[in-house]
Amino acid sequence: MAQGKRVDWTKYTQVSDLKINMDYYYNNIQEGNANECWPWTGPKHRQGYGMMGYIHKHNKSKTMNVAHRLVKMVELGRELTRNEFVVHSCSNPLCVNPNHLILGDAY
């Protein structure tokens, strides 16, 4: 974190060892009905995926990750391993509807 910059920790929710700003999280999801894609409206990766940062609880370092992966972490209440992948059943890289996100692995 930048020196001298204070973080409002009241906006953050702990998910496993991660702290996620849930106000920012929900403000960037355009929620629809359960069957529709819910597009991420925040920052985007050059490959078309939504992006969001989170803070590691222990060392306070900020990390960026794809939004659909973060949505799955919030849904499961834990951090995903490197061998766990989140796949879109709808093939829409901006979709963050948990009903469209499937957890798989590299094996």
Side-chain angles (χ1 to χ4, degrees):
M1 310 267 357
Q3 201 171 25
K5 194 171 187 180
R6 293 191 181 261
V7 175
D8 182 359
W9 291 111
T10 62
K11 293 182 179 181
Y12 285 76
T13 298
Q14 192 164 324
V15 176
S16 186
D17 285 342
L18 310 177
K19 289 192 173 273
I20 300 171
N21 183 330
M22 296 307 285
D23 287 345
Y24 183 82
Y25 173 91
Y26 286 116
N27 286 334
N28 285 288
I29 296 174
Q30 187 180 333
E31 210 172 309
N33 72 44
N35 299 320
E36 294 177 325
C37 287
W38 299 356
W40 177 258
T41 60
K44 295 163 188 67
H45 187 274
R46 68 177 179 262
Q47 292 175 326
Y49 293 97
M51 296 294 293
M52 183 176 166
Y54 56 88
I55 298 172
H56 287 273
K57 174 185 162 191
H58 300 293
N59 62 10
K60 307 279 191 279
S61 66
K62 187 170 184 181
T63 302
M64 294 295 287
N65 210 324
V66 288
H68 62 279
R69 189 168 171 85
L70 216 54
V71 166
K72 190 51 94 172
M73 288 186 221
V74 170
E75 179 187 16
L76 297 173
R78 65 175 178 85
E79 196 168 357
L80 300 179
T81 68
R82 290 178 181 246
N83 292 326
E84 291 179 304
F85 295 89
V86 179
V87 180
H88 293 90
S89 64
C90 58
S91 299
N92 178 355
L94 282 178
C95 181
V96 291
N97 181 341
N99 294 327
H100 293 191
L101 303 177
I102 301 164
L103 185 63
D105 59 41
Y107 305 106

